[in-house]
Amino acid sequence: MWGLCVAMGLSTIGFAGERFSSSVFINTTTRAFSGNLGTARNGSDFVSYLWCASTGSGVGWCHAKDASGVTASCVTTDAGMLETIRSLNSDSNLQVLYDNTGLCTYIYVATGSHFETKGP
């Protein structure tokens, strides 16, 4: 029993402090962009960005630019997507899909200790 407890404790320690960096990724063919806001902010390329905004009148936007200068963006008035945009913070992971007219079709936000945090 003691051996099992020790093994379980060590396996937990092995996963503690896990961190994921995810640079801005844009695929204009599949009309998708994603990344960690912290990784984009902390990047050394001084080109990449990733952000979303919303208004009180029910419109939201998401924008991305990768290290090579490729950009993508979309707009939404969908209440669920606006709520998701409003949950975004500087340490979040963002994933966005959009259609050929520039409308957002999917917005996913995840925030956790394993995502790279924004530096100064």
Side-chain angles (χ1 to χ4, degrees), residues 24-50:
V24 177
F25 171 80
I26 299 174
N27 186 325
T28 56
T29 302
T30 62
R31 293 184 295 273
F33 56 91
S34 64
N36 291 351
L37 274 67
T39 305
R41 167 69 178 181
N42 300 337
S44 61
D45 63 52
F46 300 104
V47 175
S48 300
Y49 60 73
L50 190 60

Side-chain angles (χ1 to χ4, degrees), residues 3 6 10 34 39 44 48 51-52 56 58 72 83 90-91 103 113:
V6 169
L10 290 176
S34 64
T39 305
S44 61
S48 300
W51 62 275
C52 295
E83 184 177 337
S90 62
D91 299 331
L103 290 176
S113 63

